[in-house]
Amino acid sequence: MAWKKALGMVGAAAMALSLAACGGANTGASTQKAGGNTEAALTVWSPQEDAQWLADQEKAFEKAHPEYKITWKNDVVSEGDAAKTVQQDPKAAADVYMFANDQLGTLVSIGAIGQLGENEAKQVTDQNDENIVKSVTGTDGKLYGVPFTGNTWFMYYNKAKVSDADAKSFDAMLAKAKVSFPLSNSWYVGAFYPKGADLTFFGDGTQADAGIKMDTAKAAEVTKYLAGVAANPNFVNDDKGSGLAGLKSGAVDVVFSGTWDAKNAQEALGANYAAATLPMFTVNGAQAQMQAFAGSKAIAYNPNSKNTKVAAQFAAFLGSKDAQKSHYDVRGIVPTDKSLAGSVKADDLAAKAQLETIAKNSVVQPTIAAMNNWWTPTEALGKGLVNKEVTAANAAEKTKAWIDGLAQAAK
């Protein structure tokens, strides 16, 4: 639901082009030529903005694999649109495509994403932090897809109003600056409950029967805290981009968003631009760390491809260290490869904030269908806070109703 803010969407014309090309995605099985080269046809889907980077990687793959003679066909399908496009006809979809990891459950269920082989799986576990690996792990414990960038949110702030020390505390910022936060958005408001109320999602994230669990009494205290936040005159609810607009006009000093807003935040703040991971907050006299939902964007190969070996190798190649480094250099796509952390530019504060948030202050967003039970009840709680319907006085009652709503939605 809320991930679509981060993922972006291609235009209708581009989608039509992609779908028209689906029928030819798997034409031409691999054939062995007399000279020893293997001929293969591969269709690859990627966002429009990746056209040059993808073409460069295809040339690099050919150079690394002279044993293949590949006919390439590239079409435009964004990571956010992958699942809904693939599921129209998995057997005719692209051989290799990019996807947002919250689509993993759907792609596995329709048999449209290939399990990584031993070498590719080792590449993923060697390259990435635990949360990124979890983001492409299926309910069977197997890996699907090769991550190439993370997907989460963090904080941008005006350093003329908020010091680096203040930025470590939500409460310190709220005491002296205008803080905009998407409290009515269920992708954001849950950030206060994992550490504040022992919130967990489906055991290890893949066990639907384990449900969404939290300590009811602690959760009530967090809700009470958030009611206080909503009532604070320095708080501004961020809805439909109002936070970023306020940052630009000077009406807001702090916003919470992701790398997709880095350029806009930098333009809005100019010399006072700063970005950092999530702060801590004080609930019932104790410090707790905010935890954002996190995931990844990854490259998959289609097990229905007539060229699965080549497709799987190319998917791994697109997520390799060198390809991620090139992706960052060409488009500013922040790598997940741990060894590239030092390659991030010193002044790329958003990239550093994203890497730190995923590594230290995040919860992997589950990809199983049961996660759909989270969004609507939690949005209702957030809107209740913003509308002052949830108050410090009724926080326990409203929290219980929210938790009961989560349980009811799961039935």
Side-chain angles (χ1 to χ4, degrees):
M1 186 180 87
W3 284 80
K4 291 180 181 177
K5 291 178 64 179
L7 300 176
M9 305 288 282
V10 293
M15 178 60 69
L17 173 63
S18 308
L19 293 173
C22 286
N26 295 317
T27 56
S30 301
T31 57
Q32 190 75 30
K33 295 183 67 179
N37 286 347
T38 297
E39 290 188 342
L42 290 183
T43 292
V44 184
W45 288 348
S46 71
Q48 179 71 51
E49 297 83 359
D50 272 337
Q52 185 58 57
W53 172 78
L54 179 60
D56 291 343
Q57 296 312 306
E58 288 170 348
K59 291 178 182 178
F61 184 75
E62 289 177 343
K63 185 175 181 179
H65 291 276
E67 71 274 21
Y68 298 142
K69 181 175 176 58
I70 302 173
T71 300
W72 302 99
K73 181 173 177 55
N74 299 334
D75 285 317
V76 175
V77 177
S78 74
E79 302 97 337
D81 287 333
K84 71 178 181 182
T85 308
V86 170
Q87 66 185 349
Q88 295 185 40
D89 188 350
K91 293 184 179 180
D95 302 278
V96 178
Y97 59 88
M98 300 177 185
F99 71 101
N101 84 295
D102 62 322
Q103 303 167 18
L104 181 60
T106 298
L107 292 167
V108 170
S109 69
I110 61 176
I113 188 167
Q115 177 186 326
L116 298 187
E118 183 178 352
N119 291 337
E120 292 79 9
K122 185 177 186 303
Q123 173 184 322
V124 169
T125 55
D126 286 349
Q127 283 182 294
N128 299 291
D129 287 318
E130 181 182 4
N131 280 354
I132 293 294
V133 175
K134 284 182 178 179
S135 75
V136 291
T137 301
T139 56
D140 56 3
K142 307 298 183 182
L143 299 183
Y144 297 85
V146 182
F148 65 89
T149 192
N151 201 356
T152 193
W153 53 272
F154 43 89
M155 183 174 67
Y156 295 104
Y157 62 96
N158 182 340
K159 64 182 182 181
K161 300 285 187 70
V162 175
S163 69
D164 291 345
D166 292 332
K168 296 178 181 180
S169 168
F170 194 91
D171 307 299
M173 292 189 296
L174 199 59
K176 65 189 306 183
K178 288 289 186 179
V179 178
S180 180
F181 184 84
L183 198 60
S184 57
N185 188 316
S186 49
W187 196 47
Y188 290 83
V189 67
F192 294 89
Y193 291 87
K195 295 298 185 181
D198 303 328
L199 171 65
T200 60
F201 295 90
F202 313 109
D204 64 0
T206 65
Q207 302 162 315
D209 291 344
I212 298 172
K213 306 291 186 184
M214 70 186 94
D215 184 306
T216 303
K218 289 182 178 179
E221 290 295 332
V222 173
T223 303
K224 182 178 179 180
Y225 166 81
L226 292 176
V229 169
N232 191 305
N234 276 343
F235 169 76
V236 180
N237 187 52
D238 190 348
D239 184 40
K240 299 179 181 177
S242 61
L244 195 62
L247 198 69
K248 186 174 183 179
S249 69
V252 164
D253 304 309
V254 182
V255 298
F256 292 80
S257 188
T259 52
W260 56 91
D261 271 336
K263 182 178 179 181
N264 292 329
Q266 193 162 10
E267 289 177 351
L269 293 172
N272 291 319
Y273 168 76
T277 189
L278 303 183
M280 300 187 79
F281 62 103
T282 305
V283 59
N284 203 22
Q287 290 276 292
Q289 174 66 55
M290 290 175 65
Q291 300 270 296
F293 276 134
S296 67
K297 295 180 182 180
I299 303 105
Y301 77 92
N302 190 338
N304 300 293
S305 172
K306 294 180 179 179
N307 307 299
T308 51
K309 178 182 177 181
V310 184
Q313 288 178 330
F314 185 57
F317 187 86
L318 288 180
S320 66
K321 176 181 177 179
D322 288 346
Q324 287 193 39
K325 176 65 165 60
S326 174
H327 218 172
Y328 179 68
D329 291 341
V330 172
R331 283 198 58 215
I333 302 298
V334 184
T336 62
D337 189 303
K338 293 180 292 186
S339 68
L340 290 175
S343 299
V344 172
K345 298 173 184 175
D347 61 351
D348 195 342
L349 303 182
K352 291 181 176 180
Q354 174 174 289
L355 291 169
E356 184 176 356
T357 300
I358 291 175
K360 298 179 181 179
N361 301 322
S362 68
V363 173
V364 178
Q365 181 177 327
T367 61
I368 60 177
M371 186 60 192
N372 290 327
N373 300 328
W374 167 262
W375 306 116
T376 300
T378 306
E379 180 182 39
L381 175 72
K383 287 182 175 179
L385 286 162
V386 171
N387 296 332
K388 310 298 192 296
E389 296 165 359
V390 178
T391 66
N394 67 17
E397 173 191 346
K398 295 294 186 179
T399 301
K400 185 179 184 304
W402 170 48
I403 294 174
D404 289 345
L406 292 172
Q408 185 63 36
K411 295 180 180 179

